[in-house]
PDB file of all heavy atoms in Angstrom:
ATOM      1  N   GLY S 110      82.101 118.487 -32.869  1.00 93.00           N
ATOM      2  CA  GLY S 110      81.962 117.007 -32.950  1.00 93.00           C
ATOM      3  C   GLY S 110      81.467 116.573 -34.312  1.00 93.00           C
ATOM      4  O   GLY S 110      81.726 115.459 -34.757  1.00 93.00           O
ATOM      5  N   ALA S 111      80.703 117.447 -34.993  1.00 94.00           N
ATOM      6  CA  ALA S 111      80.219 117.117 -36.326  1.00 94.00           C
ATOM      7  C   ALA S 111      81.316 116.971 -37.358  1.00 94.00           C
ATOM      8  O   ALA S 111      81.100 116.456 -38.457  1.00 94.00           O
ATOM      9  CB  ALA S 111      79.210 118.204 -36.769  1.00 94.00           C
ATOM     10  N   LEU S 112      82.527 117.429 -37.019  1.00 94.00           N
ATOM     11  CA  LEU S 112      83.635 117.346 -37.978  1.00 94.00           C
ATOM     12  C   LEU S 112      84.284 115.971 -37.972  1.00 94.00           C
ATOM     13  O   LEU S 112      84.966 115.617 -38.929  1.00 94.00           O
ATOM     14  CB  LEU S 112      84.689 118.350 -37.591  1.00 94.00           C
ATOM     15  CG  LEU S 112      84.223 119.813 -37.586  1.00 94.00           C
ATOM     16  CD1 LEU S 112      85.376 120.701 -37.093  1.00 94.00           C
ATOM     17  CD2 LEU S 112      83.703 120.247 -38.925  1.00 94.00           C
ATOM     18  N   LYS S 113      84.006 115.159 -36.973  1.00 95.00           N
ATOM     19  CA  LYS S 113      84.610 113.828 -36.929  1.00 95.00           C
ATOM     20  C   LYS S 113      84.203 113.029 -38.151  1.00 95.00           C
ATOM     21  O   LYS S 113      83.045 112.952 -38.537  1.00 95.00           O
ATOM     22  CB  LYS S 113      84.193 113.085 -35.666  1.00 95.00           C
ATOM     23  CG  LYS S 113      84.835 113.637 -34.401  1.00 95.00           C
ATOM     24  CD  LYS S 113      84.404 112.857 -33.176  1.00 95.00           C
ATOM     25  CE  LYS S 113      85.048 113.441 -31.933  1.00 95.00           C
ATOM     26  NZ  LYS S 113      84.717 112.698 -30.761  1.00 95.00           N
ATOM     27  N   GLY S 114      85.221 112.405 -38.784  1.00 95.00           N
ATOM     28  CA  GLY S 114      84.986 111.576 -39.940  1.00 95.00           C
ATOM     29  C   GLY S 114      84.965 112.371 -41.270  1.00 95.00           C
ATOM     30  O   GLY S 114      84.854 111.729 -42.307  1.00 95.00           O
ATOM     31  N   LEU S 115      85.025 113.677 -41.207  1.00 94.00           N
ATOM     32  CA  LEU S 115      84.999 114.470 -42.442  1.00 94.00           C
ATOM     33  C   LEU S 115      86.411 114.720 -42.947  1.00 94.00           C
ATOM     34  O   LEU S 115      87.377 114.652 -42.220  1.00 94.00           O
ATOM     35  CB  LEU S 115      84.340 115.832 -42.182  1.00 94.00           C
ATOM     36  CG  LEU S 115      82.901 115.778 -41.732  1.00 94.00           C
ATOM     37  CD1 LEU S 115      82.374 117.206 -41.550  1.00 94.00           C
ATOM     38  CD2 LEU S 115      82.021 115.042 -42.719  1.00 94.00           C
ATOM     39  N   ARG S 116      86.499 115.016 -44.262  1.00 92.00           N
ATOM     40  CA  ARG S 116      87.777 115.487 -44.848  1.00 92.00           C
ATOM     41  C   ARG S 116      87.658 117.002 -45.023  1.00 92.00           C
ATOM     42  O   ARG S 116      86.678 117.484 -45.605  1.00 92.00           O
ATOM     43  CB  ARG S 116      87.945 114.787 -46.240  1.00 92.00           C
ATOM     44  CG  ARG S 116      88.177 113.291 -46.095  1.00 92.00           C
ATOM     45  CD  ARG S 116      88.370 112.606 -47.417  1.00 92.00           C
ATOM     46  NE  ARG S 116      89.424 113.178 -48.185  1.00 92.00           N
ATOM     47  CZ  ARG S 116      89.395 113.460 -49.519  1.00 92.00           C
ATOM     48  NH1 ARG S 116      88.335 113.150 -50.175  1.00 92.00           N
ATOM     49  NH2 ARG S 116      90.398 114.016 -50.078  1.00 92.00           N
ATOM     50  N   ILE S 117      88.620 117.694 -44.503  1.00 89.00           N
ATOM     51  CA  ILE S 117      88.610 119.157 -44.524  1.00 89.00           C
ATOM     52  C   ILE S 117      89.837 119.659 -45.228  1.00 89.00           C
ATOM     53  O   ILE S 117      90.917 119.222 -44.963  1.00 89.00           O
ATOM     54  CB  ILE S 117      88.531 119.735 -43.083  1.00 89.00           C
ATOM     55  CG1 ILE S 117      87.263 119.252 -42.397  1.00 89.00           C
ATOM     56  CG2 ILE S 117      88.563 121.251 -43.131  1.00 89.00           C
ATOM     57  CD1 ILE S 117      87.211 119.637 -40.924  1.00 89.00           C
ATOM     58  N   GLY S 118      89.626 120.617 -46.106  1.00 86.00           N
ATOM     59  CA  GLY S 118      90.759 121.319 -46.737  1.00 86.00           C
ATOM     60  C   GLY S 118      90.969 122.682 -46.134  1.00 86.00           C
ATOM     61  O   GLY S 118      89.995 123.369 -45.858  1.00 86.00           O
ATOM     62  N   ALA S 119      92.216 123.023 -45.909  1.00 82.00           N
ATOM     63  CA  ALA S 119      92.524 124.371 -45.312  1.00 82.00           C
ATOM     64  C   ALA S 119      93.899 124.777 -45.851  1.00 82.00           C
ATOM     65  O   ALA S 119      94.763 123.982 -46.096  1.00 82.00           O
ATOM     66  CB  ALA S 119      92.557 124.314 -43.792  1.00 82.00           C
ATOM     67  N   ALA S 120      94.045 126.066 -46.053  1.00 75.00           N
ATOM     68  CA  ALA S 120      95.286 126.651 -46.548  1.00 75.00           C
ATOM     69  C   ALA S 120      96.363 126.555 -45.476  1.00 75.00           C
ATOM     70  O   ALA S 120      96.051 126.491 -44.290  1.00 75.00           O
ATOM     71  CB  ALA S 120      95.055 128.098 -46.941  1.00 75.00           C
ATOM     72  N   PRO S 121      97.655 126.581 -45.887  1.00 71.00           N
ATOM     73  CA  PRO S 121      98.740 126.693 -44.892  1.00 71.00           C
ATOM     74  C   PRO S 121      98.496 127.880 -44.014  1.00 71.00           C
ATOM     75  O   PRO S 121      98.103 128.919 -44.460  1.00 71.00           O
ATOM     76  CB  PRO S 121      99.975 126.873 -45.755  1.00 71.00           C
ATOM     77  CG  PRO S 121      99.596 126.294 -47.073  1.00 71.00           C
ATOM     78  CD  PRO S 121      98.136 126.633 -47.251  1.00 71.00           C
ATOM     79  N   GLY S 122      98.765 127.728 -42.719  1.00 71.00           N
ATOM     80  CA  GLY S 122      98.520 128.757 -41.756  1.00 71.00           C
ATOM     81  C   GLY S 122      97.192 128.535 -41.100  1.00 71.00           C
ATOM     82  O   GLY S 122      97.138 128.140 -39.933  1.00 71.00           O
ATOM     83  N   PRO S 123      96.091 128.776 -41.843  1.00 77.00           N
ATOM     84  CA  PRO S 123      94.794 128.501 -41.234  1.00 77.00           C
ATOM     85  C   PRO S 123      94.671 127.048 -40.802  1.00 77.00           C
ATOM     86  O   PRO S 123      94.028 126.760 -39.797  1.00 77.00           O
ATOM     87  CB  PRO S 123      93.780 128.812 -42.368  1.00 77.00           C
ATOM     88  CG  PRO S 123      94.476 129.841 -43.128  1.00 77.00           C
ATOM     89  CD  PRO S 123      95.953 129.478 -43.119  1.00 77.00           C
TER      90      PRO S 123
END
Side-chain angles (χ1 to χ4, degrees):
L112 301 177
K113 288 183 180 181
L115 299 181
R116 293 179 56 222
I117 299 174

